[in-house]
Amino acid sequence: MTKSLNAIAQKLMTPGMGILAADESEGTIGKRFDKIGLPNVLELRRDYREMLFGASEAMTKYISGVILTEETLKQEAASGTPFRAILADADVIPGIKVDRGAFPMPGEGNEKITEGLDGLRQRLTHYAELGAGFAKWRAVITINDIAPTRNNIRANAHALARYAMLCQEAGIVPIVEPEVVGDGEPGNHSLERCAQVTGDVLENVFKELRLAGVDLAGMLLKPNMILPGINSRERPSVEEVARRTVEVLKEHVPAAVPGIAFLSGGQTDEEATAHLSAMNRIGGKPWPMTFSYGRALQNVALRTWAGRRENFPAARQAFAHRAHMNSLAATGEWSNDLDRAA
């Protein structure tokens, strides 16, 4: 089991490839559709995912895995071909978001706790039968004047560890995502405050993973980058963000972990790419680093598609461009000039 889990993790971390996060909840995808004037209906959600998954250049060259929702894992394209078959044809590993969302935690810090452990063992068995090779669980850590509390960090870390152990029991690679959010309220914290909280969170997460008996060689980490809050006046350079992120991760993430796949966390498309590339130009890291982006891969493609199947070719070209740029960033070879010239 350990060998097979590690083999899946290694394939997800194939050099120059990354993970497409297409696991938006029905509510989240509805908000994105609303911005371009589209109703949130099943047919359009299917068409949008079909546009992405059928982008052969992007999927075969730059994407190693796709995180799906339960709806999409079981869904078919308009032609009747299951999305799982389309991904298999591109040699892309299907994954599944298994948490049920982050809910308010009792207390005064506006903190959240992720739920979804009830019945998870049975759901994972079902997902494995459907062909899911990996899963994802997101914990949300808020920064404000009184948060995060020790209780919130520990509760989320413990839930992540229980989830990861259940995944490995089912033969599924867990992606562990403890996100220190930068766009919460008030969102004015400094880069160094983010570094301190992220380090504390990671220390607790790996303590709980060890206590639960999770095989670190059979998992991946999906962390936030070290950034100031979205409402902070601080404007660190790309190089400073990269340096502090790598420093924090080297201090708290064991070398046994096969790889790190970053979330974009509300950054612009270009910021997420630039920061990843800068980190990959820093030597001496014990694990490879790549992307596990949602919005930062999909934004332009979504607007180009605009709900019309006749826009599939142009939207797929936009998606392939963004995926290519992040593929270059995953090997430290991206540049602004390349991005603009393509």
Side-chain angles (χ1 to χ4, degrees):
M1 183 67 76
T2 297
K3 185 177 180 180
S4 60
L5 289 171
N6 182 256
I8 295 170
Q10 295 287 354
K11 185 172 181 180
L12 288 167
M13 293 302 301
T14 299
M17 303 187 87
I19 299 168
L20 168 63
D23 60 327
E24 301 90 353
S25 67
E26 188 174 331
T28 298
I29 201 73
K31 292 176 184 177
R32 295 182 190 174
F33 280 6
D34 190 56
K35 289 180 180 178
I36 57 173
L38 294 179
N40 183 11
V41 295
L42 181 63
E43 182 179 2
L44 284 175
R45 292 198 301 272
R46 179 206 66 196
D47 284 356
Y48 178 55
R49 268 58 185 263
E50 182 179 342
M51 180 274 293
L52 292 171
F53 304 159
S56 57
E57 180 185 357
M59 300 301 289
T60 58
K61 292 183 178 180
Y62 312 124
I63 303 298
S64 57
V66 178
I67 309 171
L68 307 169
T69 63
E70 186 167 351
E71 173 185 283
T72 316
L73 182 65
K74 299 177 179 179
Q75 208 165 29
E76 297 176 347
S79 65
T81 304
F83 283 150
R84 300 192 305 277
I86 292 174
L87 295 177
D89 286 345
D91 197 26
V92 172
I93 302 173
I96 178 75
K97 171 189 175 180
V98 299
D99 68 72
R100 297 303 197 194
F103 294 86
M105 190 168 181
E108 299 178 356
N110 292 320
E111 296 179 298
K112 294 184 177 182
I113 180 70
T114 301
E115 298 182 0
L117 288 169
D118 289 350
L120 182 57
R121 174 179 273 126
Q122 292 75 22
R123 287 193 289 128
L124 286 167
T125 299
H126 179 55
Y127 299 147
E129 291 170 350
L130 291 173
F134 68 101
K136 192 204 79 167
W137 178 292
R138 175 177 178 249
V140 177
I141 307 296
T142 301
I143 296 179
N144 59 42
D145 290 344
I146 60 174
T149 60
R150 304 296 305 173
N151 184 45
N152 181 254
I153 292 174
R154 185 184 177 280
N156 274 298
H158 182 69
L160 280 166
R162 288 181 62 192
Y163 140 80
M165 195 62 211
L166 287 168
C167 282
Q168 292 189 339
E169 178 186 81
I172 289 175
V173 170
I175 291 184
V176 173
E177 181 181 2
E179 180 181 3
V180 177
V181 295
D183 56 358
E185 293 292 338
N188 60 358
H189 56 270
S190 67
L191 179 143
E192 283 307 316
R193 173 70 170 144
C194 178
Q196 179 262 316
V197 171
T198 301
D200 197 14
V201 169
L202 290 172
E203 195 67 28
N204 278 270
V205 166
F206 280 101
K207 177 182 177 182
E208 292 290 337
L209 289 170
R210 291 189 186 95
L211 286 171
V214 173
D215 178 9
L216 300 186
M219 61 158 281
L220 294 176
L221 178 70
K222 181 173 179 174
N224 54 280
M225 298 180 195
I226 304 302
L227 294 160
I230 195 169
N231 296 319
S232 172
R233 295 181 180 179
E234 194 176 352
R235 294 292 180 268
S237 67
V238 169
E239 290 72 24
E240 185 177 1
V241 170
R243 177 182 60 81
R244 288 299 287 128
T245 302
V246 171
E247 286 174 349
V248 169
L249 294 174
K250 286 179 72 174
E251 185 175 353
H252 298 285
V253 179
V257 175
I260 292 172
F262 286 99
L263 58 92
S264 53
Q267 301 176 71
T268 67
D269 301 356
E270 292 77 14
E271 286 171 346
T273 307
H275 288 140
L276 177 62
S277 192
M279 283 187 278
N280 277 309
R281 289 194 291 271
I282 297 173
K285 303 183 299 294
W287 6 249
M289 292 178 161
T290 192
F291 57 92
S292 178
Y293 294 165
R295 282 174 291 179
L297 280 173
Q298 300 178 37
N299 280 332
V300 179
L302 173 62
R303 294 195 301 269
T304 304
W305 166 65
R308 303 169 73 92
R309 292 185 68 89
E310 60 265 33
N311 291 339
F312 270 19
R316 285 169 171 168
Q317 186 175 8
F319 173 47
H321 170 69
R322 205 68 251 145
H324 183 202
M325 292 303 102
N326 283 293
S327 168
L328 292 171
T331 55
E333 298 171 348
W334 173 88
S335 72
N336 263 314
D337 290 342
L338 285 171
D339 210 329
R340 294 167 183 166

